[in-house]
Amino acid sequence: MTNQPSSANPDHPELPPQVKALTHAFALLGRRWSGLVLAALAQGPAGLGEVRERVPGISDRMLADRLHELAAAGLLTRTSQRSCYALTPHGDAFLIPLAALAVWAEEHLVVTPTGTGGTSRRG
């Protein structure tokens, strides 16, 4: 068995900084609904109910969990006024790669009848 750095451990001291950064980013942003919640807030600040309407199918518990995680990561903020959520400058900066990811997915992934992706298009 080799002593290779584990991709499951982003804090492994031998991982290059870029790999560590990507691992942390995918750990947070690769979670179900995270990207869609950020995309919903790209439309502007919104209360909990409005965010729920912008992300059809998300449960109240999942939405609360994702909002909490994204706020803890500094990507969005919650104001005390009617529990309004808004992107921070860090969250706003993620919209550019999020849009690029959406274009890539449309061009390169095939959506299955169940609504999930995962297979590459063959060109």
Side-chain angles (χ1 to χ4, degrees):
M1 182 171 226
T2 63
N3 196 8
Q4 295 283 327
S6 170
S7 61
N9 181 3
D11 297 318
H12 193 287
E14 294 177 26
L15 286 177
Q18 188 176 27
V19 173
K20 287 182 182 184
L22 282 172
T23 303
H24 281 290
F26 279 114
L28 174 67
L29 301 170
R31 298 195 65 164
R32 188 169 187 198
W33 302 104
S34 292
L36 295 176
V37 169
L38 290 171
L41 290 171
Q43 300 173 37
L48 185 65
E50 193 173 353
V51 176
R52 189 180 318 107
E53 289 174 12
R54 293 178 187 178
V55 185
I58 193 169
S59 71
D60 291 346
R61 175 65 186 195
M62 181 66 71
L63 178 57
D65 288 349
R66 291 302 170 261
L67 289 169
H68 178 77
E69 290 168 0
L70 294 168
L75 298 175
L76 60 87
T77 186
R78 177 181 173 222
T79 64
S80 59
Q81 301 171 359
R82 71 175 190 110
S83 294
C84 188
Y85 296 89
L87 294 177
T88 64
H90 294 299
D92 196 50
F94 178 66
L95 298 179
I96 294 169
L98 183 64
L101 182 61
V103 169
W104 175 85
E106 288 176 349
E107 293 176 357
H108 300 283
L109 294 181
V110 175
V111 177
T112 65
T114 60
T116 59
T119 58
S120 297
R121 292 183 191 245
R122 304 278 180 200

